[in-house]
Structure formats: structure tokens, C-alpha cells
Amino acid sequence: MPGLIRGVARTAVVAGTATAVSNRVSRRQQGRWAAQQRYEAPSGGPAYAAEPPAPPAAPDMTSKIEQLKQLGELKNQGVLTEAEFEEQKRALLG
């Protein structure tokens, strides 16, 4: 049974990390596209820069803190080893 719990916990951590990374990549790509469109002048009209887009939202520290708490609990329960904990922490904060 402990192996099953460890597997489920590891899957949850990996899924949470993957979601965070995916969201970050999406925001970065949207920012690049917005910057590219801002500097392209529409054809046939006056060349002017569009209103700059709002800065991307700051990473949600609340969710990162919650994920760190969950990682700490899993480590305290013995589900994660110290090395696994450090690796997941680096990936989350990286």
C-alpha cells in the first residue's frame, strides 16, 4: 500500500509541476506574440504602435506555497525522499 500512495503522490506533484510550467510557457508565448503584433504596422494605414499590453500576471505565489506545503507533508510522511523533495522543490521554484 505505501508504494501505491507514493505513486499517487508523485503523480500529483508531477501533474502540478507540469501545469505550472505549461501555464508559464503559454504566458511567455502570448507576450511574444503581442510584442510582435505591436511593432507590425497595419498595411494601408498610418504606422503607429498599438497600446502596449498589460504586463503578464505575476506568478501566483499562493499556489506555489501550497504546493511546497504539500511536498513537505509528503516528505514528512515518508512518501518522498530528501532527494525527490529537493528535485521537486527546484522544479517548482525554478
Side-chain angles (χ1 to χ4, degrees), residues 5-85:
I5 293 172
R6 178 177 287 198
V8 170
R10 184 174 292 146
T11 300
V13 169
V14 169
T17 302
T19 301
V21 169
S22 174
N23 290 340
R24 182 176 178 195
V25 169
S26 294
R27 282 192 306 269
R28 184 183 305 162
Q29 187 64 40
Q30 287 174 347
R32 287 180 182 168
W33 288 339
Q36 184 179 14
Q37 288 176 350
R38 181 176 45 210
Y39 293 112
E40 293 177 358
S43 61
Y48 60 90
E51 182 177 322
D60 186 17
M61 289 305 292
T62 305
S63 67
K64 286 186 179 185
I65 291 171
E66 287 300 317
Q67 288 178 339
L68 284 172
K69 285 180 182 177
Q70 290 174 352
L71 285 173
E73 290 174 10
L74 291 172
K75 187 183 108 186
N76 290 340
Q77 294 171 0
V79 175
L80 294 176
T81 65
E82 183 67 31
E84 290 171 329
F85 173 75

